[in-house]
Amino acid sequence: MEGRKGRKGLVKIKEARKPWKNVLYAYVEQYNQNRVDYGTGLREQIVTDLNYLMERGERQVRLQVWYAERQITPRKSETRAKLARVLRETEDNVVADLRLHSVFFYEKSGMTHREDIINRERLTLLRDGDAWIIVGVERLEDERKPENEPDWDNPGSGTADPLPSVPLINRGVYAAGSYSRSGRYDREAAALYADKWWEKGNPEFAEFAVDCTNYISQCLFAGKAPIHYTGKRETGWWYKGYVNGREWWSYSWAVSNSFARYLHTSTSGLRAEMVERPEQLMLGDVIVYDWDGDGSFQHSTIVTAFDAGGMPLVNAHTVSSRHRYWDYRDSYAWNDNTVYRFYHIPDYF
């Protein structure tokens, strides 16, 4: 692994360098530096993707205001980049996928906090004389992308089906009979599960391209939330995995909007009370996000910690995040229309 100190942190990239990789190294250094020290004046222009540059510029201005409002001081950023794969490589053109693990340290009220975010990007590079430039930056995982949502005007008439006799894909955590359990919500267990699996999926479960709600459901189940099995995908809250090649989980288990609908309407088992402010949330509570303000929720997170001011920090999948500030104003998905719902899970089911 190669490594080099940046102005505000550590930048690493896992690959022996070829000539076109020099521009990747420079890109990662800028990516790392932008988080803590954006206003450093002109630097080498290695990206010519105008849409990317516009979005990045708007985001950086927003970050400066955001830091001031939160009364935090950025201290250091460390970005570890892995060249995941090269899709095309010629003398004049390269398309490559990068995995970027950014660790951001900031201070609030004398306390230092750490936040982890993993982004995956596809870069298109072209030779420009003796140098290389990046002409395209595509985010491979995007919080704006919704999961597959059923047609609620015509949801289908799936009939209830008994639990199969074949082993469940998540047998290790889905103990026999646990789908009818009830009792106290174990908030610490839910948060511990969230921290254990924030970076990758539990192999006992299916992992989706848009995985945020599937991950949150697993966290709630780890906290002893009771399964409500109906056999109908449009009702209840349940998961059985793949059975004979068929998807067996409720939409509420894996789709943000369906999950929010279930929490909002359930009166027994897993249920939630909608509260008005994020500081009313506790460990293991849930936030859902409607980026466009149109009433349809596209993202879900779980509260796993609190900052020095008592505001919730959350974990999520899709863009894998650990102890991220709850309002997501650092996300490219965020805009002025974004609407949140804050769900408090009761102590007892």
Side-chain angles (χ1 to χ4, degrees), residues 245-266:
R246 183 177 176 183
E247 296 176 348
W248 280 98
W249 50 79
S250 64
Y251 292 118
S252 61
W253 181 277
V255 181
S256 294
N257 201 46
S258 301
F259 178 62
R261 182 191 302 265
Y262 183 79
L263 291 180
H264 202 65
T265 58
S266 177

Side-chain angles (χ1 to χ4, degrees), residues 1 16 22 26 39 42 46 48 82 86 92 105 111 123 137 144 167 184 190 197 201 225 248 251 308 327-328:
M1 178 188 292
N22 290 328
L42 293 175
I46 58 173
T48 63
K82 180 179 180 181
V86 177
D92 301 311
F105 297 90
M111 181 181 295
L123 305 184
V137 180
R144 283 176 292 199
R184 186 180 182 88
W197 296 106
W248 280 98
Y251 292 118
D327 71 4
Y328 263 65

Side-chain angles (χ1 to χ4, degrees), residues 60-111:
Q60 294 302 332
V61 171
R62 185 166 74 241
L63 286 184
Q64 304 311 305
V65 175
W66 190 49
Y67 293 160
E69 290 178 353
R70 291 171 57 194
Q71 299 181 328
I72 71 169
T73 303
R75 291 304 185 195
K76 183 174 63 171
S77 179
E78 298 177 358
T79 299
R80 294 171 176 84
K82 180 179 180 181
L83 184 57
R85 61 174 178 165
V86 177
L87 288 83
R88 181 169 64 248
E89 181 178 6
T90 69
E91 290 185 359
D92 301 311
N93 177 252
V94 172
V95 179
D97 290 350
L98 277 184
R99 179 186 186 271
L100 297 151
H101 182 173
S102 176
V103 184
F104 175 53
F105 297 90
Y106 61 92
E107 185 177 311
K108 181 178 176 65
S109 302
M111 181 181 295

Side-chain angles (χ1 to χ4, degrees), residues 45 47-58 134-137:
Q45 189 64 54
V47 179
T48 63
D49 182 333
L50 295 182
N51 288 328
Y52 169 79
L53 293 174
M54 290 287 289
E55 279 195 325
R56 187 176 71 175
E58 291 171 358
I134 299 172
V135 298
V137 180

Side-chain angles (χ1 to χ4, degrees), residues 5-261:
K5 282 284 185 179
R7 291 190 60 217
K8 287 286 183 175
L10 180 64
V11 178
K12 295 183 179 180
I13 186 161
K14 298 178 179 179
E15 278 293 321
R17 268 195 262 175
K18 296 181 180 180
W20 57 265
K21 290 179 182 173
N22 290 328
V23 74
L24 289 188
Y25 209 104
Y27 175 78
V28 175
E29 281 195 320
Q30 289 190 10
Y31 182 99
N32 185 63
Q33 183 175 316
N34 282 344
R35 189 67 196 256
V36 292
D37 192 20
Y38 181 66
T40 56
L42 293 175
R43 292 160 293 172
E44 179 185 5
Q45 189 64 54
I46 58 173
V47 179
T48 63
D49 182 333
L50 295 182
N51 288 328
Y52 169 79
L53 293 174
M54 290 287 289
E55 279 195 325
R56 187 176 71 175
E58 291 171 358
R59 176 177 177 270
Q60 294 302 332
V61 171
R62 185 166 74 241
L63 286 184
Q64 304 311 305
V65 175
W66 190 49
Y67 293 160
E69 290 178 353
R70 291 171 57 194
Q71 299 181 328
I72 71 169
T73 303
R75 291 304 185 195
K76 183 174 63 171
S77 179
E78 298 177 358
T79 299
R80 294 171 176 84
K82 180 179 180 181
L83 184 57
R85 61 174 178 165
V86 177
L87 288 83
R88 181 169 64 248
E89 181 178 6
T90 69
E91 290 185 359
D92 301 311
N93 177 252
V94 172
V95 179
D97 290 350
L98 277 184
R99 179 186 186 271
L100 297 151
H101 182 173
S102 176
V103 184
F104 175 53
F105 297 90
Y106 61 92
E107 185 177 311
K108 181 178 176 65
S109 302
M111 181 181 295
T112 299
H113 295 279
R114 168 178 171 158
E115 170 187 290
D116 292 74
I117 298 178
I118 296 174
N119 282 286
R120 292 174 174 83
E121 296 182 345
R122 178 164 296 164
L123 305 184
T124 301
L125 299 84
L126 292 180
R127 183 189 291 275
D128 183 22
D130 294 331
W132 287 80
I133 57 174
I134 299 172
V135 298
V137 180
E138 176 188 356
R139 287 182 291 276
L140 296 179
E141 296 170 327
D142 192 334
E143 289 135 349
R144 283 176 292 199
K145 183 179 178 182
E147 307 100 326
N148 291 328
E149 178 79 29
D151 179 359
W152 286 103
D153 294 327
N154 184 26
S157 57
T159 56
D161 184 77
L163 283 168
S165 58
V166 298
L168 300 168
I169 193 171
N170 59 332
R171 189 180 185 90
V173 294
Y174 198 149
S178 64
Y179 49 90
S180 62
R181 65 187 174 173
S182 61
R184 186 180 182 88
Y185 182 38
D186 191 338
R187 300 180 182 280
E188 290 76 16
L192 284 171
Y193 184 96
D195 278 349
K196 179 177 180 179
W197 296 106
W198 79 272
E199 189 175 355
K200 59 184 178 180
N202 182 341
E204 296 292 336
F205 290 84
E207 188 171 2
F208 310 133
V210 182
D211 197 54
C212 60
T213 308
N214 174 43
Y215 165 70
I216 301 305
S217 288
Q218 291 174 41
C219 296
L220 295 177
F221 182 79
K224 299 184 173 59
I227 293 295
H228 177 197
Y229 179 74
T230 65
K232 297 181 180 181
R233 302 197 68 194
E234 63 272 16
T235 62
W237 180 74
W238 55 275
Y239 178 93
K240 293 196 292 181
Y242 285 98
V243 179
N244 297 324
R246 183 177 176 183
E247 296 176 348
W248 280 98
W249 50 79
S250 64
Y251 292 118
S252 61
W253 181 277
V255 181
S256 294
N257 201 46
S258 301
F259 178 62
R261 182 191 302 265

